[in-house]
Amino acid sequence: MVNEKVKVAVNGYGTIGKRVADAVSLQGDMKLIGVTKTKPDFEARIAVKKGYKLYAAIPDRVEVFERAGLSVEGTIDDLLEKADIVIDCSPGKIGAENKQKYEKAGVKAIFQGGEKAEVAEVSFNALACYDRAVGKNYVRVVSCNTTGLTRTLYIIKENFGIKKVRATMIRRVVDPKEDKKGLVNGIMPNPVSLPSHHGPDVQTVLDVDITTVAFKVPTTLMHVHSLNIVPEKEPKVDEIVDAFEKEPRILLFSENEGFTSTTKIIEWSREIRTRYDIFENCIWKDSISVVDGEIYLTQAIHQEAIVIPENIDAIRAMFELKDRDESMKLTNKSLGIGEIVP
Ligand code: NAD
């Protein structure tokens, strides 16, 4: 494998899959060898236009693609034969079903946060536990909310220690492309009973005492998290800001610069990024407070983009290509993380 590029397949070219495919294409040490689609729709045509080799995710649907005038290179099984690793970006719970194919083909696999932790040997967040994925065959990149919580809590824990975290997640109900489901005019406790699954999910990647509550609201743009952290050592607000400023995967936004809501953060990103993808945590600097020794802050998370850098770092860890800091640096540079700050 020395000096050879890792051959990467993407199974499931949806919201996460298309972004992972683009990100893999930007890496010097990886080669995107193909993506799969279940049907020959506009997304499949765009993948081909981008020069990505297209394969049928469901083997007996090759003819459906042919009839639509979109030829495929083969099926997922053909793609797996050529791959060193497959990034499973199929809908939640389908990844666990796909695992059998990956095992049979003898390829490493990365699963996404919609899968249960047991699908993989380890759950992954680059900052918090890169080393756990080194040399592994099956890794799960935790979900968007969990990735956002973990990055912020990792920085606080490293600098000030953590006794206890209470977090409230205000979740976008669906992604912007969705037209089959949604919540038009309500606020849904999700779940009603405590805790939401996010706290236990954070604990798969970071050792921390955390309780979470979650609500779905009628927006598609971003999630918002309200955090209350009891630190071991009481920090000053400036010290917390300094700690966040050192981490490129965290951005600080100020209300007095016009960042009054998630709409303005997205508007900022529309000016600088393809698909307005924000790979970083967006913390409102003005929200960072210390009251009676406890830290409070509010952050927004772009659900469609936040896990993309982690997928790239997970590949490097699994093939032992680079250590954590080197991998994160390469990934950040390729995605423009740290290039423009608000
Ligand atoms: P999506 O529905 O946008 O994309 C899934 C793609 O997989 C679709 O193109 C679908 O046609 C395809 N597919 C369906 N069945 C398949 C199969 N058997 N084999 C291969 N492909 C199949 O979903 P998504 O939002 O990209 O989510 C993918 C995974 O990423 C899920 O585990 C999800 O929980 C996780 N995730 C999603 C987000 C988000 O906000 N969208 C954020 C983080 C993690």
Side-chain angles (χ1 to χ4, degrees), residues 25-303:
S25 310
L26 295 171
Q27 311 307 314
D29 48 2
M30 300 172 199
K31 182 175 164 57
L32 180 74
I33 59 159
V35 303
T36 72
K37 280 287 301 173
T38 53
K39 49 183 182 298
D41 61 4
F42 70 95
E43 288 183 308
R45 288 188 199 278
I46 290 174
V48 172
K49 200 131 196 118
K50 284 186 171 196
Y52 299 162
K53 291 199 159 73
L54 185 66
Y55 291 80
I58 315 289
D60 60 15
R61 288 203 197 150
V62 170
E63 274 177 23
V64 180
F65 283 84
E66 303 290 344
R67 277 204 301 272
L70 197 61
S71 60
V72 291
E73 310 277 335
T75 68
I76 174 66
D77 300 315
D78 301 319
L79 178 58
L80 290 176
E81 265 178 34
K82 301 177 192 139
D84 297 318
I85 185 165
V86 56
I87 318 301
D88 187 288
C89 301
S90 63
K93 316 284 182 290
I94 304 287
E97 291 172 20
N98 288 340
K99 188 176 178 187
Q100 281 179 358
K101 277 186 195 288
Y102 309 152
E103 285 172 328
K104 200 167 149 219
V107 292
K108 292 184 186 246
I110 293 177
F111 300 92
Q112 305 304 316
E115 304 302 320
K116 292 204 169 116
E118 300 78 60
V119 76
E121 294 161 276
V122 292
S123 290
F124 183 83
N125 172 267
L127 268 179
C129 58
Y130 183 95
D131 287 347
R132 268 208 257 153
V134 169
K136 292 287 188 294
N137 289 326
Y138 301 109
V139 169
R140 178 184 74 123
V141 170
V142 291
S143 73
C144 46
N145 280 301
T146 305
T147 298
L149 283 170
T150 303
R151 282 189 194 157
T152 295
L153 295 176
Y154 174 82
I155 299 293
I156 297 290
K157 189 175 180 200
E158 285 294 290
N159 287 275
F160 315 109
I162 291 183
K163 281 191 197 154
K164 165 97 197 134
V165 180
R166 303 172 185 94
T168 303
M169 255 71 61
I170 302 160
R171 303 172 58 195
R172 66 86 183 97
V173 63
V174 290
D175 287 335
K177 73 174 183 190
E178 195 60 64
D179 57 9
K180 288 213 174 80
K181 52 185 180 178
L183 178 70
V184 175
N185 189 24
I187 298 175
M188 182 191 282
N190 183 244
V192 173
S193 55
L194 262 65
S196 74
H197 72 274
H198 306 93
D201 205 29
V202 167
Q203 288 166 333
T204 66
V205 282
L206 186 70
D207 183 14
V208 72
D209 182 355
I210 178 169
T211 304
T212 51
V213 184
F215 298 85
K216 279 187 187 171
V217 296
T219 178
T220 63
L221 295 181
M222 299 178 96
H223 302 299
V224 168
H225 299 167
S226 170
L227 300 189
N228 166 222
I229 306 158
V230 184
E232 300 273 0
K233 191 174 88 182
E234 181 173 337
K236 294 200 169 56
V237 168
D238 287 353
E239 292 173 318
I240 303 172
V241 170
D242 282 352
F244 285 143
E245 276 179 345
K246 290 196 182 93
E247 174 45 55
R249 291 194 187 174
I250 291 182
L251 293 174
L252 296 175
F253 291 80
S254 289
E255 188 184 15
N256 63 13
E257 290 277 332
F259 294 108
T260 45
S261 72
T262 51
T263 59
K264 295 295 195 294
I265 293 175
I266 293 292
E267 188 63 12
W268 171 80
S269 193
R270 275 186 170 140
E271 298 286 336
I272 62 162
R273 294 263 171 87
T274 304
R275 305 188 190 99
Y276 67 75
D277 283 346
I278 311 179
F279 306 109
E280 304 91 333
N281 288 32
C282 305
I283 298 180
W284 269 282
K285 191 174 174 180
D286 336 54
S287 74
I288 302 171
S289 313
V290 179
V291 181
D292 291 339
E294 300 187 7
I295 302 169
Y296 290 79
L297 63 87
T298 306
Q299 65 177 2
I301 302 297
H302 183 202
Q303 75 281 354

